[in-house]
């Protein structure tokens, strides 16, 4: 009899704790959202985004999709840094951007340098694609030459509503994920530039 009472008491305590936890999560959903969708390297993102006239939310979203803010990640294809630049693209950025004393190792292992290089490249893509964020994101993933071919051939018109026409499944999914995080970060961190 005492064992049944103890078990019943334990179940009630566990139920109360679960309800309290769910209530806390519901009431503190902003806290939970910030925990689930953090923005690391904020000052580096804001500085680089400002330098290259980009929205910091977009830079943060690309980093989230590319590496989830983990430095030193090397993709299966060899992309490096928190913004996952291909080594040839990184060398081109160093040369075209006039960056001195920047190495591939620094891009790979120093988030501030990787963010600076990736932001420079995003700005170059914005200039190439007349400020169309969706084609910029697609070009960041598939390469500008590929995206230009899709646009010229009429395969894709560069709009989010027609992203399902993007021939590469990886790029189609990439654009959708970046836009998802971009919108999430804009909602959660509307004052990111002020931070």
């Amino acid at each position: 009899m005492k064992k049944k009472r103890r078990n019943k008491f334990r179940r009630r305590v566990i139920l109360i704790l679960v309800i309290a936890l769910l209530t806390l999560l519901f009431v503190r959903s902003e806290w939970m959202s910030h925990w689930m969708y953090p923005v690391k390297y904020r000052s580096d993102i804001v500085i680089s985004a400002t330098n290259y006239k980009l929205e910091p939310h977009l830079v943060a979203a690309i980093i989230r999709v590319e590496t989830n803010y983990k430095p030193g990640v090397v993709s299966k294809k060899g992309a490096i840094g928190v913004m996952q630049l291909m080594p040839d693209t990184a060398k081109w950025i160093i040369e075209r951007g006039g960056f001195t004393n920047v190495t591939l190792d620094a891009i790979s292992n120093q988030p501030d340098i990787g963010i600076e290089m990736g932001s420079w490249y995003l700005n170059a893509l914005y200039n190439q694609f007349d400020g169309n964020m969706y084609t910029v994101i697609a070009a960041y993933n598939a390469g500008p030459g590929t995206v230009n071919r899709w646009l010229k051939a009429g395969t894709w018109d560069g709009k989010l509503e027609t992203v399902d026409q993007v021939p590469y499944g990886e790029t189609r999914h990439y654009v959708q994920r970046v836009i998802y995080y971009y919108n999430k970060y804009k909602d959660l961190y509307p004052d990111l530039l002020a931070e």
Side-chain angles (χ1 to χ4, degrees):
M1 193 67 121
K2 287 183 182 181
K3 203 175 196 179
K4 283 185 181 180
R5 282 187 195 160
R6 238 184 272 143
N7 285 340
K8 196 173 187 181
F9 177 75
R10 283 183 187 153
R11 278 188 244 142
R12 284 184 182 167
V13 168
I14 290 172
L15 180 62
I16 290 169
L17 289 174
V18 167
I19 290 171
L21 178 63
L22 290 174
T23 302
L24 178 66
L25 292 177
F26 179 75
V27 170
R28 300 290 300 164
S29 62
E30 184 178 320
W31 170 83
M32 185 66 161
S33 294
H34 284 264
W35 178 75
M36 289 176 60
Y37 301 99
V39 175
K40 297 180 183 178
Y41 316 120
R42 285 186 198 197
S43 62
D44 294 320
I45 290 169
V46 170
I47 289 167
S48 292
T50 302
N51 286 345
Y52 300 108
K53 298 173 182 69
L54 302 168
E55 288 187 78
H57 303 97
L58 177 62
V59 176
I62 286 176
I63 296 170
R64 172 70 186 244
V65 171
E66 291 288 355
T67 61
N68 199 17
Y69 299 96
K70 295 177 189 140
V73 173
V74 178
S75 76
K76 292 176 188 175
K77 294 180 181 178
I80 58 172
V82 292
M83 292 188 74
Q84 292 291 277
L85 297 167
M86 292 301 291
D88 286 344
T89 303
K91 289 174 187 172
W92 178 82
I93 293 167
I94 291 167
E95 182 182 309
R96 288 296 290 266
F99 295 100
T100 56
N101 301 321
V102 174
T103 64
L104 294 181
D105 185 59
I107 293 170
S108 183
N109 295 306
Q110 296 176 16
D112 59 329
I113 294 173
I115 293 167
E116 181 80 12
M117 299 290 109
S119 296
W120 186 96
Y121 185 50
L122 277 172
N123 177 268
L125 292 173
Y126 262 98
N127 291 331
Q128 183 175 348
F129 289 98
D130 299 321
N132 181 326
M133 182 169 65
Y134 310 116
T135 54
V136 167
I137 295 167
Y140 195 89
N141 179 261
T146 301
V147 174
N148 270 320
R149 280 193 301 277
W150 295 339
L151 295 171
K152 285 178 184 169
T155 306
W156 180 45
D157 62 6
K159 296 179 183 172
L160 183 61
E161 301 79 32
T162 56
V163 76
D164 60 323
Q165 295 172 351
V166 169
Y168 296 178
E170 176 190 335
T171 301
R172 185 171 50 247
H173 185 61
Y174 181 83
V175 171
Q176 292 167 335
R177 288 180 64 211
V178 169
I179 293 301
Y180 171 81
Y181 285 112
Y182 169 77
N183 289 327
K184 184 64 77 174
Y185 285 147
K186 283 188 78 129
D187 288 343
L188 291 173
Y189 305 99
D191 56 350
L192 189 58
L193 274 173
E195 294 179 19

